[in-house]
């Protein structure tokens, strides 16, 4: 299991940054290797990705979500991974986005990519493209989901 932690500062208010991060169907516009994400309900998504030319599909569950703070998830099948994205208000017009992800690479190609630091660079690249995507829109998000999802065992 590898842990990846990456951050980027986005020139946009925390609410706009958070709102954009809740628009999973938009992820292919800035995440390398993500072909499609289908939001099945408030807490379940279905992903289609391409890794080293191989297409894979998996389901993931949003395990915690709090507006303007965090979105956490875990995979239900496919490559084992879990993570959290947090947004931190730096000032009225700037937000830090931090991704922490635990991933257990599946197969030879993913293990080599992990050992060579390719996964680290991919996550940072995705964050950098997210920053560009949102800033090029003037900080204006494409949509928002402001619901709360409490961590399992909390109410």
């Amino acid at each position: 299991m590898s842990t990846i932690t990456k951050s980027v500062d986005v020139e946009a208010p925390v609410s706009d940054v958070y709102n954009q991060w809740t628009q999973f169907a938009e992820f292919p516009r800035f995440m390398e290797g993500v072909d499609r994400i289908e939001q099945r309900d408030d807490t379940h998504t279905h992903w289609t990705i391409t890794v080293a030319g191989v297409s894979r599909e998996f389901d993931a569950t949003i395990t915690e979500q709090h507006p303007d703070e965090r979105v956490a998830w875990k995979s239900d099948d496919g490559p084992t991974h879990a993570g959290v994205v947090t947004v931190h208000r730096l000032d009225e017009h700037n937000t830090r986005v931090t991704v922490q992800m635990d991933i257990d690479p599946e197969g030879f190609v993913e293990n080599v990519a992990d050992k060579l630091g390719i996964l680290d660079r991919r996550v940072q690249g995705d964050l950098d493209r997210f920053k560009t995507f949102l800033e090029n829109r003037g900080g204006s998000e494409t949509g928002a989901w402001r619901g709360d999802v409490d961590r399992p065992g909390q109410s």
Side-chain angles (χ1 to χ4, degrees):
M1 186 75 71
S2 294
T3 298
I4 299 169
T5 303
K6 298 293 177 186
S7 294
V8 71
D9 293 348
V10 179
E11 191 175 333
V14 70
S15 288
D16 294 340
V17 172
Y18 173 84
N19 289 345
Q20 186 60 58
W21 201 269
T22 67
Q23 301 306 293
F24 303 111
E26 299 289 337
F27 282 16
R29 295 176 73 177
F30 56 84
M31 284 190 174
E32 184 181 344
V34 176
D35 302 322
R36 183 170 184 267
I37 302 174
E38 177 187 335
Q39 178 106 29
R40 297 206 162 147
D41 60 31
D42 288 347
T43 60
H44 296 95
T45 56
H46 181 77
W47 294 59
T48 304
I49 63 171
T50 301
V51 177
V54 177
S55 183
R56 298 193 178 175
E57 295 189 31
F58 65 90
D59 294 319
T61 297
I62 297 162
T63 57
E64 185 179 10
Q65 187 166 341
H66 303 292
D68 301 340
E69 291 179 18
R70 67 192 300 124
V71 178
W73 76 92
K74 69 171 186 61
S75 60
D76 298 328
D77 55 16
T80 302
H81 67 280
V84 62
V85 173
T86 55
V87 293
H88 303 277
R89 180 184 189 275
L90 298 176
D91 61 37
E92 187 178 338
H93 302 289
N94 292 280
T95 302
R96 177 162 296 145
V97 180
T98 302
V99 174
Q100 182 176 356
M101 202 164 86
D102 294 323
I103 186 164
D104 189 4
E106 191 176 80
F108 177 75
V109 172
E110 289 90 346
N111 275 291
V112 169
D114 181 36
K115 301 290 186 268
L116 294 176
I118 293 169
L119 297 177
D120 275 12
R121 289 191 297 277
R122 180 175 273 189
V123 171
Q124 187 63 58
D126 290 345
L127 281 174
D128 293 342
R129 284 184 294 277
F130 174 78
K131 169 187 173 71
T132 300
F133 174 77
L134 194 53
E135 288 179 355
N136 284 347
R137 298 178 55 79
S140 177
E141 72 272 17
T142 61
W145 189 78
R146 305 288 298 173
D148 258 310
V149 175
D150 287 324
R151 195 171 19 179
Q154 288 188 332
S155 303

